[in-house]
Amino acid sequence: MFNVLLEVCVCGCVCLCSTYVCTSVCMHWSLTVFFISECQLAVTHLASQSDSEKHSRLLKTLKLLIRMKGLLLLCLLFFCGGQRSSACPHLCSCDGSQVDCSARSMSSSSLPARFPAGTTELRLHNNLLTTLPNGLLDDLTSIRSVSLHGNPWVCDCGVLYLRAWLRRQPTSHTSHLGVNCSSPPSLRGRLVVYLTEEEVLDSCYYWYCDLALASQVCLFVFVLVQAALLVAVIVFLRKFERLSKEAKKTTEESFTEADGPRENEYSSI
């Protein structure tokens, strides 16, 4: 039992220095070695014991196996999470604590969700970035330099996070250099870090403004349709009234013409 636990501990230490794949392989190997060794040990003891003792020993062995399996799986998740957080982002190249994502035609939607926690230099210049997701750079406590120039930044409400992050940086940092607005036209060429909050808010464009405008247009069209239907009904009623009067007049004239010959016949008699 001691040898098995020793092998598991050694494998766990090796996992700390391995990559994600190596970590998974080592942990699975630890599980396999422990389970096989424990089963062999249990079979050896069971062969020399009575039925009741075999049953008790088997239950203890199963409980121990379940506990060790849960512990090792938790360790596996912990190691895997650590490896993922320090992995180099997709589409980027890493050299130590330097992460280079420059000139990759990356847009704001294809930007990595996170960067390694120990990053000291991050290069995001010469891409197609228009905004930065909120909180993207907040976990980079060791960052010393971020290059953001050469991107078509849109200075609307989406640039507020980038502006706030740049304003929090020490004056010795040059991350704000070259971070100019590409749109709207009223702010084109302005440095993002020097924008006032009022200027940014004035250029904000909200989707529900379009919805309100569309609602007003639909309401106006609806009122026009209702007015047209009302006019059509009024015209129809007037035409119907005129036709009714003409029909009544024609009927009366026909009755009058029919009564004339009859009166002449009665007078002759």
Side-chain angles (χ1 to χ4, degrees):
M1 178 66 72
F2 177 77
N3 292 332
V4 173
L5 294 177
L6 181 60
E7 291 180 0
V8 172
C9 293
V10 171
C11 183
C13 294
V14 174
C15 290
L16 287 173
C17 303
S18 63
T19 61
Y20 169 68
V21 176
C22 293
T23 302
S24 301
V25 172
C26 288
M27 296 305 294
H28 283 295
W29 178 80
S30 300
L31 288 171
T32 304
V33 170
F34 180 78
F35 290 160
I36 293 176
S37 301
E38 187 63 22
C39 289
Q40 291 176 350
L41 185 62
V43 170
T44 302
H45 282 276
L46 287 174
S48 60
Q49 294 176 353
S50 62
D51 293 339
S52 60
E53 292 176 346
K54 289 179 181 180
H55 182 69
S56 177
R57 178 63 181 178
L58 182 59
L59 289 177
K60 292 180 179 179
T61 302
L62 290 176
K63 290 180 180 180
L64 181 59
L65 288 175
I66 293 173
R67 292 176 182 175
M68 291 300 297
K69 181 180 179 181
L71 178 60
L72 291 177
L73 287 177
L74 288 176
C75 293
L76 177 62
L77 292 175
F78 174 76
F79 294 141
C80 292
Q83 291 295 330
R84 288 177 181 175
S85 63
S86 61
C88 188
H90 181 57
L91 299 179
C92 301
S93 60
C94 300
D95 182 13
S97 60
Q98 299 179 354
V99 180
D100 187 3
C101 303
S102 61
R104 309 297 168 94
S105 298
M106 299 174 61
S107 62
S108 298
S109 59
S110 62
L111 198 63
R114 62 180 59 87
F115 296 99
T119 301
T120 58
E121 182 177 351
L122 179 60
R123 300 170 185 171
L124 295 174
H125 58 273
N126 296 335
N127 281 299
L128 302 176
L129 303 178
T130 57
T131 60
L132 286 185
N134 292 336
L136 179 65
L137 305 176
D138 292 345
D139 295 333
L140 304 181
T141 56
S142 303
I143 197 71
R144 294 196 302 267
S145 173
V146 179
S147 59
L148 298 167
H149 58 273
N151 289 291
W153 300 107
V154 177
C155 295
D156 56 8
C157 290
V159 83
L160 286 175
Y161 169 73
L162 175 60
R163 171 183 171 274
W165 185 86
L166 290 173
R167 293 170 71 94
R168 290 197 305 265
Q169 303 310 303
T171 55
S172 58
H173 284 200
T174 59
S175 302
H176 65 281
L177 297 179
V179 186
N180 302 89
C181 298
S182 178
S183 63
S186 59
L187 299 177
R188 183 174 298 156
R190 294 280 303 277
L191 285 174
V192 173
V193 69
Y194 295 132
L195 292 176
T196 63
E197 189 172 349
E198 289 75 15
E199 288 176 327
V200 177
L201 294 178
D202 288 342
S203 62
C204 289
Y205 191 75
Y206 299 101
W207 63 268
Y208 47 80
C209 294
D210 291 337
L211 181 61
L213 179 61
S215 300
Q216 292 178 356
V217 171
C218 291
L219 180 61
F220 180 72
V221 172
F222 178 76
V223 171
L224 286 180
V225 171
Q226 294 295 320
L229 290 175
L230 181 61
V231 171
V233 169
I234 293 174
V235 171
F236 175 77
L237 290 176
R238 289 184 176 180
K239 186 176 181 180
F240 180 77
E241 184 181 3
R242 186 175 69 253
L243 292 175
S244 299
K245 290 181 179 179
E246 291 178 357
K248 184 178 180 180
K249 183 178 180 181
T250 303
T251 304
E252 291 177 351
E253 290 178 353
S254 62
F255 279 117
T256 303
E257 292 176 356
D259 291 339
R262 292 179 182 178
E263 290 178 356
N264 294 331
E265 290 178 358
Y266 291 144
S267 61
S268 60
I269 293 173

